[in-house]
């Protein structure tokens, strides 16, 4: 390590370490890929995209991104005019004013990752789309990283969706609870409504700047899709904005894992993805199986009519969201009450009050 420091310098070693994900002091082709893409400007096709050949008769879903940047005045550091904080440190944050991709067209079948496993078909029974890999023994993941690892399996659709906001989403957060959890909110003969909650974060800076982590409190939302994932009726994902603070930010000030880190919290007014309508066939056939034009003789797009869904069972959104919250934070099995309500409950149950004062919310990633 001393030889590497002497050869590369502190900043060079810092960059090398951020790419050396397995800490073997050797950059494999896979680890070097982010830098190669940056230098060449060419992003190679991922293994998933090579294997996932579009079904010519499959349906596509149009998704739009809506984004309002962080309100800088809500950051604690803004109270003294960001005194002592270099402009470079916040450059990635200040420059992020719009979504990376305002609109994207995706294959409906890519959303099959949201379908429930066969043993999780009861309403409100949570399962993990992306399971957490962190526990009290593993600790947390390195702060010294710039580029996300290639997504695999069910991570791919989550990564693709979050990439509409920013090009460097990490679908697994550095700290627990990480991952994505879901449950069935409603069921019909052919459709599910799936409620989901995702803990992910973004890396806003690139070398030669030091890492800047942007961690929304949570991404939540729902999807209505057919049980065979061939059709998506509705999709929405968003960062809740009902609290005064909903984003945690952390940035390094040096070229090592032990370097000084600044921490702040702020308010993000809007960060959401929403489908423009139900998924539609990419190719249209007539009753004889012949391909027909997607526009009528007057040049207007053909209008599709979708059957109304009759739900056989459903639970309220609040109940589904609560189930996901408890799955992420088991301590939420205990009721946490607002200050005034707590004394009323304590008096009724003849119990003491345990009061906790926090800077942020204990039940999301912004704290």
């Amino acid at each position: 390590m001393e030889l590497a420091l002497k050869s590369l310098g502190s900043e060079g070693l810092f960059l090398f370490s951020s790419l050396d994900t397995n800490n073997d002091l050797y950059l494999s082709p896979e680890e070097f890929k982010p830098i190669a893409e940056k230098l060449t400007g060419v992003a190679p096709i991922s293994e998933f995209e090579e294997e996932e050949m579009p079904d010519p008769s499959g349906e596509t879903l149009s998704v739009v991104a809506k984004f309002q940047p962080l309100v800088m005045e809500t950051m604690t550091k803004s109270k003294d005019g960001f005194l002592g904080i270099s402009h470079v440190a916040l450059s990635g944050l200040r420059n992020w004013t719009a979504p990376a991709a305002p609109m994207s067209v995706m294959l409906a079948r890519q959303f099959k990752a949201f379908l429930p496993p066969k043993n999780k078909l009861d309403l409100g029974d949570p399962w993990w789309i992306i399971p957490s890999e962190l526990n009290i023994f593993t600790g947390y993941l390195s702060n010294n990283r710039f580029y996300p690892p290639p997504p695999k399996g069910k991570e791919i659709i989550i990564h693709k969706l979050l990439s509409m906001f920013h090009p460097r989403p990490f679908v697994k957060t550095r700290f627990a609870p990480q991952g994505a959890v879901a449950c069935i909110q409603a069921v019909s003969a052919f459709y599910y409504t799936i409620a989901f909650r995702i803990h992910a974060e973004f890396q806003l800076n690139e070398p030669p700047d030091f890492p800047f982590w942007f961690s929304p409190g949570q991404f939540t939302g729902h999807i209505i899709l057919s049980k065979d994932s061939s059709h998506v009726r509705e999709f929405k994902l968003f960062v809740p904005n009902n609290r005064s603070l909903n984003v945690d930010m952390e940035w390094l000030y040096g070229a090592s894992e032990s370097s000084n880190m600044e921490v702040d919290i702020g308010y993000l007014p809007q960060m959401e993805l929403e489908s423009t309508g139900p998924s539609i066939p990419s190719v249209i056939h007539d009753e004889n199986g012949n391909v027909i034009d997607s526009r009528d003789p007057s040049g207007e797009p053909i209008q599709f009519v979708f059957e109304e869904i009759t739900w056989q069972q459903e639970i309220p959104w609040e109940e589904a969201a609560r189930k996901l919250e408890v799955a992420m934070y088991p301590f939420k099995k205990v009721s946490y009450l607002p200050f005034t309500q707590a004394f009323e409950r304590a008096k009724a149950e003849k119990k003491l009050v345990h009061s906790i004062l926090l800077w942020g919310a204990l039940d999301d990633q912004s704290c």
Side-chain angles (χ1 to χ4, degrees), residues 1-19 144 146 207-211 252-259:
M1 186 62 74
E2 290 182 6
L3 183 60
L5 180 61
K6 185 176 181 181
S7 302
L8 300 174
S10 59
E11 294 188 0
L13 181 60
F14 181 72
L15 174 59
F16 182 92
S17 300
S18 74
L19 298 169
N144 178 18
F146 290 99
D209 298 335
F210 299 127
L252 294 179
Y253 268 130
S256 74
E257 187 70 33
S258 59
S259 298

Side-chain angles (χ1 to χ4, degrees), residues 3-211:
L3 183 60
L5 180 61
K6 185 176 181 181
S7 302
L8 300 174
S10 59
E11 294 188 0
L13 181 60
F14 181 72
L15 174 59
F16 182 92
S17 300
S18 74
L19 298 169
D20 185 21
T21 55
N22 59 1
N23 299 315
D24 64 352
L25 295 180
Y26 171 79
L27 292 187
S28 67
E30 189 66 30
E31 291 171 327
F32 187 72
K33 187 187 295 184
I35 290 296
E37 293 175 11
K38 185 71 176 174
L39 294 175
T40 62
V42 177
I45 298 174
S46 72
E47 293 178 6
F48 172 80
E49 290 172 332
E50 290 176 342
E51 296 170 1
E52 187 81 10
M53 295 300 292
D55 179 359
S57 61
E59 297 191 357
T60 58
L61 185 74
S62 296
V63 178
V64 295
K66 300 175 183 177
F67 177 81
Q68 294 181 43
L70 187 101
V71 180
M72 301 296 290
E73 292 74 24
T74 61
M75 294 177 65
T76 305
K77 305 291 190 295
S78 72
K79 301 299 185 291
D80 56 7
F82 296 100
L83 184 66
I85 298 177
S86 70
H87 185 78
V88 173
L90 301 179
S91 61
L93 177 63
R94 294 184 187 277
N95 294 335
W96 188 19
T97 58
M103 184 173 182
S104 180
V105 178
M106 304 183 184
L107 297 174
R109 287 199 181 275
Q110 288 183 297
F111 291 85
K112 65 185 177 182
F114 289 92
L115 285 174
K118 294 179 180 179
N119 64 336
K120 293 290 183 179
L121 300 181
D122 293 334
L123 299 187
D125 188 8
W127 72 87
W128 291 91
I129 300 174
I130 302 175
S132 175
E133 296 179 348
L134 298 180
N135 54 50
I136 58 174
F137 302 106
T138 57
Y140 58 90
L141 300 179
S142 172
N143 294 310
N144 178 18
R145 291 177 297 161
F146 290 99
Y147 303 105
K152 300 176 182 178
K154 294 180 179 180
E155 298 174 7
I156 294 172
I157 182 62
I158 306 294
H159 183 273
K160 188 168 187 176
L161 288 164
L162 296 181
S163 293
M164 291 182 66
F165 295 123
H166 192 278
R168 291 183 297 282
F170 284 70
V171 298
K172 290 183 177 176
T173 52
R174 291 160 297 147
F175 303 98
Q178 62 173 195
V181 66
C183 71
I184 299 175
Q185 184 187 343
V187 62
S188 76
F190 302 105
Y191 290 90
Y192 291 120
T193 297
I194 305 295
F196 58 83
R197 177 171 177 152
I198 300 165
H199 286 184
E201 56 190 348
F202 300 90
Q203 176 51 242
L204 303 193
N205 283 352
E206 286 189 282
D209 298 335
F210 299 127

Side-chain angles (χ1 to χ4, degrees), residues 269-290:
Q270 185 181 42
M271 191 176 200
E272 63 181 69
L273 301 177
E274 189 169 12
S275 55
T276 58
S279 62
I280 58 174
S282 51
V283 177
I284 306 170
H285 298 86
D286 62 18
E287 61 272 14
N288 298 318
N290 300 313

Side-chain angles (χ1 to χ4, degrees), residues 333-353:
K333 292 176 183 178
V334 176
S335 296
Y336 285 74
L337 301 173
F339 193 74
T340 53
Q341 295 178 24
F343 287 97
E344 295 174 4
R345 177 77 68 85
K347 185 176 181 180
E349 298 184 8
K350 297 182 178 178
K351 293 181 179 179
L352 299 175
V353 173

